[in-house]
Amino acid sequence: MAKLHSPRTPLLCAFMLFFLVHCNIHLHVFAMLDPLDFLALQSIRKALRDMPGSNFFASWDFTSDPCSFAGVSCQSNKVVTLNLGDSRAGSPGLIGRLDLSIGKLSALAEFSVVPGRIYGPLPETLSHLSNLRFLAVSRNLISGQIPAGVGSLRRLRTLDLSYNQLSGQIPRSMGMLPALSNLILCHNRLTGPLPLFLSRTLTRLDLKHNALSGWLGPNSLPPSLQYLSLSWNRLGGPVDRLLTRLDQLSYLDLSSNQFTGTIPGRLFTFPITSLQLQRNLFSGHVEPLNHVSITTVDLSYNKLSGPISPFLATVQNLYLNNNGFSGRVPACFVQRLLSANIQILYLQHNYLTGIEINPTAEIPLSSSLCLQYNCMVPPVQTPCPLKAGNQKTRPRQQCNEWRG
């Protein structure tokens, strides 16, 4: 009994109490979070660090509950959301790599990384995240190919890997994702053909500024699309049959490719606000079915010909320059220009022969008209873009050859 009341007893009790308290802390952490998720978060943290000016990882203290970390949310002891980096505009991002252990967060539904300097490939283990619905890792330095396994994420709705250094082809399996709604892969180094997109939920497809090539079949894209941007690629071939099917489009940009064939008149009846078809090889006449309500239509730098349709006079910003349009400009264009309903009317570098406008007419300051380098002397002198050059009129020989 005397030993129980020795001078060492209080010290021993204090030590045991200290030990139990700290053990309870760690037990509490593991009780709050699945051990696999806990270890995965530790590995993810070790592979990344804050860029100068960022303080995102300050709350990532693994002696506390990881579900309270910045960017982490949990349900039923599992991580369901992981948003890495301070999402406030202008905040510095993170630097490092994405660790393979991301694939161990088996309940993860949302994963994003703010713009920063994350480099290296996307982890192949992303394919293990069968519950993932949202994946966004944009404006970093991600390189390598898109893992083919991403095409097995059948619940994925949004995939944004834009503004990186990804190369190789878009996996064919990605076109078969049944729930995919938004696919944003713009500003990368992707090559090869587009996969066949079968998802009937796909509304946004943004693949601009890559090196994609090949032709698009009439059924290669779903009619559910509302936003389509394929500009600045190497795509070619006719697309009239494809475009006719995409009647839900509100934005269409196919510019700076090698598309050929005619532009279907039905396209101008779609609920589009901006139609960008410039710098291609489109040919034939442009024949809208009715007055066009699209705000901006850019058909410049193609091989279009024939008269200018009066149905285009209702367009606010109209670019028809650098084509083969001929004949006289319909009077309705002049009326709408002088009443400031048309803001931009670029008709330079065509084969137009006349326009009914009084040389003393005052064009509103809010409107721009360019007529130079046609088969007529411009009746009014208006400022033109620098690219239009200095020649006011096309050489007569070129005009005669065009008529012939």
Side-chain angles (χ1 to χ4, degrees):
M1 294 296 291
K3 290 182 180 180
L4 291 175
H5 296 284
S6 68
R8 295 182 180 180
T9 300
L11 290 174
L12 180 62
C13 291
F15 173 77
M16 291 179 65
L17 179 63
F18 177 84
F19 178 78
L20 287 172
V21 167
H22 280 265
C23 283
N24 283 339
I25 289 176
H26 286 283
L27 288 171
H28 172 70
V29 169
F30 280 95
M32 287 293 293
L33 187 64
D34 182 282
L36 287 177
D37 285 28
F38 182 88
L39 294 174
L41 288 178
Q42 282 190 321
S43 297
I44 292 168
R45 171 66 185 91
K46 288 176 182 177
L48 298 169
R49 67 179 188 273
D50 284 302
M51 288 179 62
S54 173
N55 201 31
F56 174 75
F57 281 125
S59 67
W60 282 49
D61 177 2
F62 284 92
T63 63
S64 62
D65 180 9
C67 293
S68 65
F69 290 177
V72 178
S73 63
C74 306
Q75 288 181 6
S76 303
N77 303 333
K78 301 287 288 182
V79 175
V80 294
T81 299
L82 182 59
N83 298 316
L84 294 174
D86 189 340
S87 60
R88 289 177 295 183
S91 297
L94 307 175
I95 188 169
R97 290 174 172 266
L98 296 178
D99 193 83
L100 291 171
S101 59
I102 184 75
K104 295 179 181 178
L105 299 175
S106 57
L108 196 64
E110 178 179 323
F111 176 51
S112 68
V113 181
V114 301
R117 300 189 66 81
I118 306 294
Y119 56 89
L122 286 171
E124 294 279 352
T125 53
L126 287 172
S127 61
H128 300 165
L129 303 177
S130 58
N131 292 302
L132 199 62
R133 295 192 299 268
F134 183 90
L135 173 57
V137 186
S138 64
R139 297 180 185 274
N140 277 277
L141 303 173
I142 301 294
S143 59
Q145 299 190 7
I146 300 172
V150 172
S152 66
L153 303 177
R154 298 185 62 78
R155 296 186 181 182
L156 193 63
R157 297 175 186 171
T158 294
L159 176 61
D160 183 357
L161 303 176
S162 58
Y163 293 89
N164 279 291
Q165 299 174 5
L166 293 165
S167 57
Q169 296 190 13
I170 302 172
R172 291 180 60 186
S173 56
M174 196 171 289
M176 302 178 187
L177 290 172
L180 192 63
S181 178
N182 303 289
L183 180 59
I184 308 168
L185 303 176
C186 59
H187 290 268
N188 277 287
R189 301 169 182 175
L190 299 170
T191 57
L194 268 67
L196 180 66
F197 287 98
L198 300 176
S199 170
R200 297 302 171 186
T201 60
L202 189 63
T203 58
R204 184 183 183 94
L205 181 61
D206 191 347
L207 305 178
K208 63 178 175 283
H209 285 269
N210 279 286
L212 300 168
S213 59
W215 288 25
L216 302 180
N219 298 306
S220 59
L221 299 175
S224 55
L225 278 175
Q226 298 175 16
Y227 181 105
L228 176 60
S229 180
L230 302 177
S231 63
W232 291 95
N233 278 286
R234 301 168 186 171
L235 299 164
V239 288
D240 51 333
R241 292 173 59 194
L242 170 64
L243 293 178
T244 301
R245 295 177 58 251
L246 305 181
D247 57 1
Q248 301 300 309
L249 284 173
S250 60
Y251 181 91
L252 176 61
D253 187 353
L254 303 182
S255 62
S256 299
N257 279 284
Q258 300 163 21
F259 292 119
T260 60
T262 58
I263 299 172
R266 187 165 177 260
L267 179 64
F268 296 95
T269 66
F270 296 169
I272 298 173
T273 56
S274 180
L275 177 60
Q276 308 285 332
L277 301 180
Q278 69 271 23
R279 297 185 183 276
N280 277 285
L281 301 172
F282 289 116
S283 59
H285 293 193
V286 179
E287 298 176 333
L289 305 181
N290 209 327
H291 293 290
V292 179
S293 59
I294 303 172
T295 303
T296 298
V297 173
D298 193 341
L299 308 181
S300 62
Y301 293 93
N302 277 287
K303 296 185 176 182
L304 301 167
S305 59
I308 296 176
S309 171
F311 287 152
L312 291 170
T314 47
V315 176
Q316 190 172 342
N317 304 295
L318 182 61
Y319 303 83
L320 299 179
N321 53 288
N322 295 82
N323 277 288
F325 290 109
S326 58
R328 297 182 65 82
V329 180
C332 52
F333 281 92
V334 177
Q335 296 166 6
R336 292 186 60 80
L337 181 72
L338 296 180
S339 60
N341 289 310
I342 294 179
Q343 291 188 356
I344 296 176
L345 181 58
Y346 281 179
L347 303 176
Q348 69 270 21
H349 286 258
N350 280 287
Y351 293 82
L352 300 169
T353 55
I355 181 171
E356 295 181 13
I357 185 170
N358 192 317
T360 61
E362 292 188 10
I363 297 174
L365 293 175
S366 61
S367 300
S368 297
L369 170 67
C370 186
L371 294 169
Q372 69 185 52
Y373 210 71
N374 276 286
C375 298
M376 62 175 174
V377 176
V380 289
Q381 300 301 315
T382 56
C384 285
L386 290 175
K387 290 182 180 179
N390 296 320
Q391 287 184 275
K392 298 298 181 184
T393 304
R394 184 180 287 276
R396 181 173 297 178
Q397 182 180 353
Q398 290 186 16
C399 295
N400 291 338
E401 290 174 353
W402 186 260
R403 294 192 192 100

